[in-house]
Amino acid sequence: MDDSGRPQPGSGTTDDHQAARPGPTPPAPPTPVNGAARANSVPHEPRDPEEPPHTEHPDPAAPADGEDATPADQSETSDSAPDTAPGSDPFTKPASADGDDTRPADPEPPARTPATSGRRPTKAPQPRGGLLMGRPFGVPVYVAPSWFLVAALITWVFGGQLDHVLPELGAARYLVSLFFAVAFYASVLVHELAHTVAALRFKLPVRRIQLQFFGGVSEIEKESETPGREFVLAFVGPLLSLVLAGVFYLGMLAVEPGTVPGVLLAGLMISNLIVAAFNLLPGLPLDGGRMLRAIVWKITGKPMSGTVAAAWVGRALAVTVLIGLPLLTQSGALGEGAADVSGMDTVTDALLAAILAAIIWTGAGNSLRMARLREHLPELRARTLTRRAVPVESATPLSEALRRANEAGARALVIVDADGEPRSLVREAAIVGVPEHRRPWVAVSGLAQDLTDGMRISAELAGEELLDTLRATPATEYLVVEESGAIYGVLSAADVERAFVKAMARPS
């Protein structure tokens, strides 16, 4: 995110992927940080076993493992040993970290091309970030609740300065200060729109723009394909802030100094200069860090090398801000009037420095984690993570269905009709919620979720394509099918989440 430095907030773009992107919300949204990235993530299982799967946008940093599961095919599964011991419940057995339990479906009864259940696919909700203000260029703009806190702070601080410059305003100075706060964040929005327009021109989807506590965030879902585009995407934001500063300077020349318009234009010019200068600092997650990443990427040919270099520079920058900003302010190195302009005492200086340093340090760390995830993303394969499933009819008692699953070494149940076509998936969370003594009297149909088109996915999906598919239709389980339409197995969102965390923990 772009931070304006002191004393106003700034703006920037998010490095999710985001997540992001993968987000099935890399991770969150990861908490958004500066730099263009995706916000990929994976859906979570419902909290209550009897609740239907939620459609809330998932967090890309959700726990996961099972990434290294060995891919399976139909011929291999027929000869493999069962996953569970006889008499045990395959649905209470934890997923294997090595993927031993990710087996395709038994070939009997013959599976057919899945038919549409007649229901409309569940539509993934739009990620929200506060108050929706509009959709410029088709991208929703949200104002986070934290913005109102910052607006009140700016109104109070700037109002105190106006009392010295224009004492004749009286209490009306706070109305002028509030107008300044709104105008400043409007310029932050222009900064973000510059990132958005550049991303759209490069065919990179932008999920949303959010104005928040320390500036703005443009959530760009995909990474730039070339270092040149990455550089341009990062540079246009500070460039627009510099252009706005020039526009406000020309406006100052056209009005009388010492008036309300003159003071407002001067404040907006200085604020945009601070936004541009701060964001040009060469460290992630600032725009300057994205530019540094692009340069190292161009030199080495490796985007990961650029991310590592820019992230460590960002961490060094965070330490510098934490120690150096209070020293510069108190020493008068920023000018004799620095303390008057900022209206901050020593404690406030230290607090502001600590907040800025924390944002930069956290953003740099998030950039490293998301880069590591993107590097290992191709290792996430639907075929590898899929659980073996057994087909059962809707009237089958749960105890009998579990017995069949136990014999087959399966960990999922697919309800099929009389012709063998899949109709619904039995939710694992619902099975766990049924006491063992009731299972002979409970039909599997009462624990199932009807299949929609979005819940049928190809066994060939992998990496970002797999995550995008799951994110489009949040659910707890998905039916995995071969290209021919034959049942391959069931993919659990929990397994994908565990694979996410394991991928992010692995060294690059």
Side-chain angles (χ1 to χ4, degrees), residues 2-310:
D2 295 336
D3 303 286
S4 64
R6 41 182 311 280
Q8 296 94 347
S11 58
T13 53
T14 180
D15 188 1
D16 109 229
H17 267 240
Q18 45 222 0
R21 274 172 316 267
T25 153
T31 301
V33 294
N34 281 323
R38 39 201 176 290
N40 290 327
S41 55
V42 290
H44 300 278
E45 294 194 38
R47 299 173 186 170
D48 186 88
E50 298 302 324
E51 290 179 358
H54 68 75
T55 56
E56 183 180 355
H57 185 67
D59 183 355
D65 82 51
E67 168 193 302
D68 294 328
T70 304
D73 54 51
Q74 295 290 354
S75 60
E76 291 175 340
T77 51
S78 61
D79 299 327
S80 57
D83 294 282
T84 55
S88 64
D89 186 350
F91 291 86
T92 59
K93 174 181 178 290
S96 169
D98 298 325
D100 294 337
D101 51 343
T102 55
R103 313 261 177 89
D106 281 354
E108 297 180 0
R112 307 189 180 188
T113 304
T116 305
S117 64
R119 286 191 177 185
R120 293 184 179 179
T122 304
K123 185 177 180 181
Q126 292 296 325
R128 299 194 61 82
L131 213 53
L132 179 62
M133 303 303 294
R135 294 179 179 272
F137 305 103
V139 178
V141 176
Y142 292 96
V143 174
S146 60
W147 176 86
F148 296 96
L149 176 63
V150 176
L153 179 62
I154 293 176
T155 300
W156 176 66
V157 172
F158 195 69
Q161 302 310 309
L162 284 178
D163 191 32
H164 297 291
V165 180
L166 299 171
E168 65 274 11
L169 288 178
R173 67 182 184 273
Y174 291 109
L175 290 176
V176 177
S177 299
L178 179 60
F179 177 83
F180 170 79
V182 174
F184 169 70
Y185 265 86
S187 64
V188 171
L189 177 58
V190 172
H191 177 115
E192 294 304 324
L193 287 175
H195 291 301
T196 296
V197 172
L200 294 177
R201 186 173 181 85
F202 293 147
K203 309 298 183 184
L204 302 176
V206 182
R207 177 173 298 170
R208 65 175 178 175
I209 296 174
Q210 185 186 50
L211 301 180
Q212 51 185 228
F213 187 84
F214 261 91
V217 173
S218 296
E219 294 188 2
I220 302 173
E221 296 188 1
K222 294 184 182 297
E223 187 180 39
S224 299
E225 297 178 354
T226 64
R229 290 186 174 185
E230 173 83 348
F231 188 93
V232 171
L233 187 60
F235 181 63
V236 291
L239 177 62
L240 256 292
S241 293
L242 290 173
V243 170
L244 284 177
V247 171
F248 290 130
Y249 174 75
L250 294 178
M252 287 174 53
L253 301 179
V255 300
E256 184 179 349
T259 61
V260 171
V263 172
L264 285 175
L265 290 170
L268 291 172
M269 179 196 70
I270 294 173
S271 298
N272 278 276
L273 283 175
I274 293 175
V275 169
F278 188 77
N279 277 280
L280 286 174
L281 293 176
L284 287 173
L286 303 175
D287 291 329
R290 306 296 305 181
M291 296 162 63
L292 174 61
R293 175 182 184 270
I295 293 173
V296 177
W297 178 3
K298 179 68 175 178
I299 295 174
T300 63
K302 300 178 181 179
M304 187 64 184
S305 298
T307 301
V308 171

Side-chain angles (χ1 to χ4, degrees), residues 288-350:
R290 306 296 305 181
M291 296 162 63
L292 174 61
R293 175 182 184 270
I295 293 173
V296 177
W297 178 3
K298 179 68 175 178
I299 295 174
T300 63
K302 300 178 181 179
M304 187 64 184
S305 298
T307 301
V308 171
W312 278 105
V313 172
R315 287 176 170 176
L317 180 62
V319 175
T320 302
V321 169
L322 179 63
I323 299 174
L325 183 59
L327 293 178
L328 286 175
T329 302
Q330 296 305 314
S331 66
L334 298 178
E336 294 182 0
D340 294 334
V341 172
S342 66
M344 296 183 297
D345 55 17
T346 305
V347 175
T348 308
D349 281 340

Side-chain angles (χ1 to χ4, degrees), residues 420-448:
E421 292 191 4
R423 293 301 182 184
S424 56
L425 300 177
V426 181
R427 294 181 294 124
E428 181 181 10
I431 294 175
V432 174
V434 179
E436 188 171 353
H437 69 275
R438 290 186 54 200
R439 292 179 178 180
W441 319 108
V442 176
V444 291
S445 58
L447 309 174

Side-chain angles (χ1 to χ4, degrees), residues 310-398:
W312 278 105
V313 172
R315 287 176 170 176
L317 180 62
V319 175
T320 302
V321 169
L322 179 63
I323 299 174
L325 183 59
L327 293 178
L328 286 175
T329 302
Q330 296 305 314
S331 66
L334 298 178
E336 294 182 0
D340 294 334
V341 172
S342 66
M344 296 183 297
D345 55 17
T346 305
V347 175
T348 308
D349 281 340
L351 179 60
L352 177 62
I355 293 175
L356 291 177
I359 290 174
I360 296 173
W361 183 279
T362 303
N366 286 340
S367 298
L368 278 176
R369 283 190 291 272
M370 296 313 300
R372 185 181 300 118
L373 174 61
R374 286 194 295 270
E375 189 177 44
H376 293 296
L377 206 55
E379 301 173 15
L380 300 179
R381 298 180 294 273
R383 187 177 295 277
T384 300
L385 297 172
T386 296
R387 299 177 176 184
R388 171 182 291 205
V390 294
V392 295
E393 295 184 353
S394 60
T396 305
L398 178 58

